[in-house]
Amino acid sequence: MNKTIHSVEILMAEDDPEDQMLVKEAFQEAHLCNDLWLVEDGEQLLQFLRKEGEYENVPKPGLVLLDLNMPRKDGREALREIKSDPKLRNIPVV
């Protein structure tokens, strides 16, 4: 039986560089080959998901890792917008 493995693009919204590094290191130690994209606040997160501005050519992530306490727009507010948008609501957010 042949199994096809599909890599999922992961988007992490995290403003703390140390937390970003910890996640990157954990992915490396687990030998995950997923592409990890980084944004630093809720505004950038929504621009990425909506492919606006500098993010117009980014892939659609299959998973969002969301920090709740970020500048400009915190994770709770960004999550409300994601889940209220029919084009984004199906993306899993952790």
Side-chain angles (χ1 to χ4, degrees):
M1 176 168 65
N2 291 335
K3 286 188 176 184
T4 303
I5 298 175
H6 298 280
S7 179
V8 173
E9 304 284 336
I10 299 173
L11 173 59
M12 181 169 62
E14 173 61 63
D15 63 311
D16 185 327
E18 290 181 19
D19 288 343
Q20 291 175 1
M21 184 64 69
L22 286 173
V23 170
K24 288 178 184 179
E25 289 174 0
F27 277 34
Q28 289 173 346
E29 289 178 17
H31 302 288
L32 295 180
C33 61
N34 302 75
D35 287 333
L36 179 63
W37 298 81
L38 297 171
V39 294
E40 296 184 351
D41 61 51
E43 290 289 332
Q44 290 178 346
L45 169 63
L46 291 166
Q47 289 171 355
F48 188 105
L49 294 174
R50 294 176 177 147
K51 297 180 178 251
E52 297 172 344
E54 67 182 282
Y55 303 108
E56 67 182 336
N57 295 314
V58 297
K60 180 179 180 182
L63 175 66
V64 173
L65 303 177
L66 179 61
D67 178 15
L68 296 178
N69 300 308
M70 294 183 295
R72 291 179 48 187
K73 182 176 290 205
D74 76 6
R76 292 166 193 84
E77 188 177 349
L79 181 60
R80 278 192 292 276
E81 288 189 43
I82 291 168
K83 293 306 175 182
S84 67
D85 187 325
K87 294 179 183 177
L88 305 176
R89 71 171 53 141
N90 292 329
I91 300 171
V93 179
V94 178

